[in-house]
Amino acid sequence: MKIGKKGVSYIVTVAIMTSITITIGLFIWGIVGGWAGTSAIDILKETNKGIAQQRSFFIVEFVDRERGIVWISNPGKVDLVVLSCTIYSKTSAPPPKNLSSISRGKSING
């Protein structure tokens, strides 16, 4: 008497294991790709912010020490906020600073 033995062939087993391995690999690749894309966008935002800070500057046009008047212009591409303006002689030590918004100005180019 012959006993029938059912089994899965070697080729089917290899095909199933290969498809599972490829599926897991694609899943991990998708997660890592999404994370890398999100990180790249955040890094790009920080870089743009740093570039904008480098492109902002203002020029002191005129200083009247007696009346305490300072004329400045902003030829940069980014709007600036003047936080503090202290007029003192070069020979004396600078006074302590109190930072508060004095004026907001638009850029000349913008």
Side-chain angles (χ1 to χ4, degrees), residues 67-87:
R67 294 187 293 172
I69 298 173
V70 178
W71 287 84
I72 60 172
S73 63
N74 179 13
K77 296 185 177 187
V78 179
D79 296 343
L80 297 176
V81 177
V82 178
L83 295 176
S84 176
C85 181
T86 307
I87 304 170

Side-chain angles (χ1 to χ4, degrees), residues 11-98:
I11 295 174
V12 173
T13 305
V14 169
I16 291 172
M17 292 303 291
T18 302
S19 65
I20 290 172
T21 303
I22 290 173
T23 302
I24 291 172
L26 289 173
F27 177 73
I28 292 172
W29 182 63
I31 289 174
V32 170
W35 175 78
T38 303
S39 295
I41 290 171
D42 290 342
I43 290 171
L44 183 65
K45 286 179 185 177
E46 288 295 321
T47 303
N48 286 341
K49 186 177 176 182
I51 290 170
Q53 288 175 352
Q54 293 298 321
R55 295 176 67 181
S56 59
F57 60 95
F58 67 90
I59 298 172
V60 177
E61 301 283 344
F62 174 75
V63 176
D64 185 352
R65 288 180 55 198
E66 293 176 8
R67 294 187 293 172
I69 298 173
V70 178
W71 287 84
I72 60 172
S73 63
N74 179 13
K77 296 185 177 187
V78 179
D79 296 343
L80 297 176
V81 177
V82 178
L83 295 176
S84 176
C85 181
T86 307
I87 304 170
Y88 62 95
S89 175
K90 282 184 176 181
T91 57
S92 65
K97 295 180 181 177
N98 297 335

